[in-house]
Amino acid sequence: MVGEGSDADARVALTAFREEFYRCLQARSDAVFELADALLCAGGAVRSLVELSLTPEHRRGHGALYDAINCGRMDIARLRRSLADLTVPRDRDGAIVLAVDVSPWLRPDARTSAHRAFCHVYGRGKNAAQLIPGWPYSFVAALEPGRTSPAAVLDARRLHPDDDDTTVTAAQVREVVVRLREAGQHRDGDPDILLIFDAGYELARLAFVLTDLPVLVLGRMRSDRVLCFPAPPPGRTGRPPRHGREFRFADPATWPQPASTTGTVTDRYDTATASVWNRLHPKITHRGVWADHPGPPPIVAGTVLRLEVEHLPGNRHPDPVWLWCSDPDVVLAEDVDRLWQMFLRRFDLEHTFRLFKQTLGWTSPKIRSPEAADRWTWLVLVAHTQLRLARPLAEDLRRPWEKPAPPHRLSPARVRRGFPRIHRARGSPVGAPKPSRPGPGRPPGSKNTRPAPLTTWANATELTPRNWSVSRRQGRVAPGNLTPGLPQHRA
């Protein structure tokens, strides 16, 4: 009876979300909605955009498909609210866990595409990372415990070349948390929402800006960071000190006795040891995101966790992981284990990016305008949400070499294999296409009188490529020296 009830709830939730998504479409509604269905019901991985017009679910021609991408309109604000109204996964303690990360849509050869930025891409070898122009997108997703757990993506936003990563991320996270509270997903008295970030974010700035929200910031720090303990009592003369003794991650001689140490036996890493030091803060100066801060820089204290495991899969050398939490008084062993275990769950978002790119074909289309790229990104996000809602309804159509999955724990790729049957049972609010004839097109022998203009990296003609430097993460452009080896584009 429990399974039947959950299946009925899943049918209602999936149908309601599909109808709400159709109401969010403002122009080319039928073509955009059928394009999303074609993306869900395609037999294999999406390699090109035009091949989706050959699926039975897409009843219009390939011209309508491109028209939907280039000229369609959707109410993104309403679509974001509809995602917040859905059931949000929680951890074992009933808390909402949100992971934030950036994934790039690489467009190195799109010389006529605007608003491209330098995207940091990791290579397989040592020191093989490089910077490639493209469109970086910031995603916010809710995590759930357990393996093969698809992340519930709640928001996506394209970063502009001149955006500050920390400022944009803080505004994006604030909007997501406010929408969750307005939808009743989080109320006063509930556990704080845990925000998980990877290295590269200014964690102290995020914790300071979001201090008025019921959130807890957790993120990874580089192994060469230097933090400070609280300042000692002021002396009789001189100015009172602002910082105490230094805590260098790379120098064990500066580590005092940990406030607590926990050891947990896992089936993947053997024994995981976590050491905790409380009330550590970074030295903040009036630079970068703190340049416009009025008055003296604040003291943002937190807890440092050092996680070390015996071995990693593949017999790789296990380097310790340094984490920083905005709660300065984490001591209990269950709280420490929950923090580092939920941080490891952040990698579910990486698997979601892999599904977006390799299966749903997020970065496969050669789209020119960034506005069309935003529409296609939200179509992929809507398709992934429908796969998550249809998970209790899908059959396990596994390959002979794949292992059986527990009930209602199928991966999104397996759910997609059986989605055509679910689609036929759910129906579609789209009307039947009207018969028409194709237009005459461009007359033979005529030339294109409106060629697309070439664009610079940041659409700023006052900057020259020699005077640009690129930040390590999402590609924010600033004056400095250009990293050698990058391709140069004409203005």
Side-chain angles (χ1 to χ4, degrees):
M1 298 298 293
V2 176
E4 295 178 359
S6 61
D7 291 351
D9 295 341
R11 295 188 187 96
V12 173
L14 179 59
T15 303
F17 179 75
R18 287 172 59 84
E19 294 177 353
E20 179 64 20
F21 170 58
Y22 185 74
R23 288 189 290 266
C24 292
L25 303 179
Q26 299 174 336
R28 297 349 186 246
S29 304
D30 295 346
V32 174
F33 193 90
E34 286 194 353
L35 178 58
D37 285 347
L39 179 62
L40 286 167
C41 300
V46 178
R47 301 302 181 189
S48 65
L49 193 62
V50 69
E51 291 181 355
L52 294 178
S53 63
L54 303 177
T55 59
E57 289 75 16
H58 193 276
R59 298 175 294 176
R60 290 159 173 82
H62 61 276
L65 182 145
Y66 284 106
D67 194 35
I69 290 294
N70 296 323
C71 303
R73 293 199 310 270
M74 60 180 65
D75 190 350
I76 301 298
R78 181 173 181 176
L79 188 55
R80 286 188 171 114
R81 291 193 298 268
S82 64
L83 292 176
D85 292 335
L86 299 176
T87 302
V88 179
R90 303 170 185 268
D91 66 354
R92 296 183 178 88
D93 297 334
I96 299 176
V97 182
L98 301 180
V100 185
D101 204 353
V102 174
S103 183
W105 184 342
L106 302 181
R107 300 288 283 141
D109 299 328
R111 301 176 63 184
T112 60
S113 296
H115 301 297
R116 289 183 303 161
F118 287 107
C119 304
H120 185 266
V121 179
Y122 290 94
R124 292 184 176 272
K126 185 178 180 180
N127 298 328
Q130 53 184 328
L131 295 170
I132 300 178
W135 292 315
Y137 279 84
S138 176
F139 292 88
V140 179
L143 306 179
E144 63 181 59
R147 295 182 180 178
T148 64
S149 301
V153 183
L154 301 177
D155 191 31
R157 178 173 298 183
R158 177 170 48 86
L159 301 178
H160 292 264
D162 55 348
D163 283 343
D164 180 79
D165 305 337
T166 303
T167 304
V168 174
T169 301
Q172 184 184 20
V173 171
R174 176 179 293 276
E175 294 174 0
V176 172
V177 173
V178 170
R179 287 196 297 268
L180 291 176
R181 290 182 61 85
E182 291 177 351
Q185 305 285 359
H186 186 275
R187 298 181 175 87
D188 296 337
D190 293 346
D192 290 343
I193 299 176
L194 182 60
L195 306 177
I196 301 181
F197 302 89
D198 200 4
Y201 289 94
E202 185 64 33
L203 301 178
R205 178 66 178 180
L206 292 171
F208 178 79
V209 174
L210 303 175
T211 186
D212 59 323
L213 297 177
V215 297
L216 193 65
V217 176
L218 174 66
R220 183 167 65 94
M221 284 188 168
R222 301 190 310 269
S223 59
D224 58 351
R225 290 294 299 270
V226 178
L227 273 65
C228 298
F229 283 98
R236 296 183 178 179
T237 60
R239 188 174 64 177
R242 286 180 51 85
H243 311 286
R245 63 181 185 277
E246 292 184 344
F247 183 93
R248 298 179 177 272
F249 291 177
D251 187 5
T254 61
W255 306 349
Q257 187 68 21
S260 64
T261 302
T262 62
T264 306
V265 179
T266 64
D267 57 350
R268 188 175 179 86
Y269 311 106
D270 284 346
T271 303
T273 305
S275 303
V276 175
W277 292 270
N278 298 119
R279 298 199 170 275
L280 283 166
H281 65 273
K283 289 184 179 180
I284 298 175
T285 58
H286 286 92
R287 294 183 303 177
V289 294
W290 300 98
D292 299 331
H293 182 77
I299 300 295
V300 184
T303 298
V304 172
L305 288 79
R306 183 179 185 271
L307 177 63
E308 189 173 12
V309 298
E310 291 188 8
H311 72 87
L312 294 175
N315 296 325
R316 292 179 296 171
H317 179 68
D319 295 329
V321 177
W322 293 91
L323 305 177
W324 186 87
C325 178
S326 60
D327 186 359
D329 298 317
V330 178
V331 178
L332 299 179
E334 54 268 20
D335 295 336
V336 175
D337 290 341
R338 173 179 174 269
L339 289 178
W340 68 261
Q341 289 175 6
M342 291 311 302
F343 175 80
L344 296 182
R345 289 259 61 86
R346 189 202 68 84
F347 292 96
D348 291 342
L349 188 56
E350 304 292 342
H351 294 290
T352 302
F353 294 156
R354 181 180 180 181
L355 175 75
F356 281 2
K357 296 181 178 181
Q358 297 185 3
T359 303
L360 299 181
W362 172 41
T363 58
S364 296
K366 305 302 181 182
I367 295 176
R368 174 186 295 176
S369 67
E371 293 78 14
D374 294 342
R375 281 188 287 271
W376 174 247
T377 299
W378 275 99
L379 279 179
V380 173
L381 195 151
V382 167
H384 181 264
T385 303
Q386 295 187 52
L387 294 177
R388 180 171 61 90
L389 296 176
R391 183 168 55 169
L393 307 175
E395 299 178 0
D396 189 7
L397 304 178
R398 61 186 180 90
R399 303 290 189 259
W401 55 85
E402 294 177 343
K403 297 181 180 180
H408 297 180
R409 298 292 294 180
L410 297 178
S411 64
R414 291 197 189 185
V415 176
R416 185 169 175 261
R417 296 172 189 171
F419 197 86
R421 181 188 64 83
I422 301 174
H423 176 267
R424 290 190 295 269
R426 295 299 94 200
S428 175
V430 177
K434 299 179 181 180
S436 62
R437 293 180 298 176
R442 184 188 303 171
S446 62
K447 296 183 179 180
N448 184 13
T449 59
R450 293 184 300 175
L454 298 180
T455 59
T456 59
W457 296 114
N459 290 338
T461 56
E462 66 273 13
L463 298 179
T464 59
R466 292 184 178 180
N467 295 329
W468 292 351
S469 67
V470 187
S471 61
R472 180 179 178 273
R473 267 190 82 81
Q474 294 88 355
R476 184 167 56 87
V477 179
N481 296 323
L482 184 67
T483 303
L486 292 177
Q488 303 294 327
H489 284 199
R490 294 188 297 111

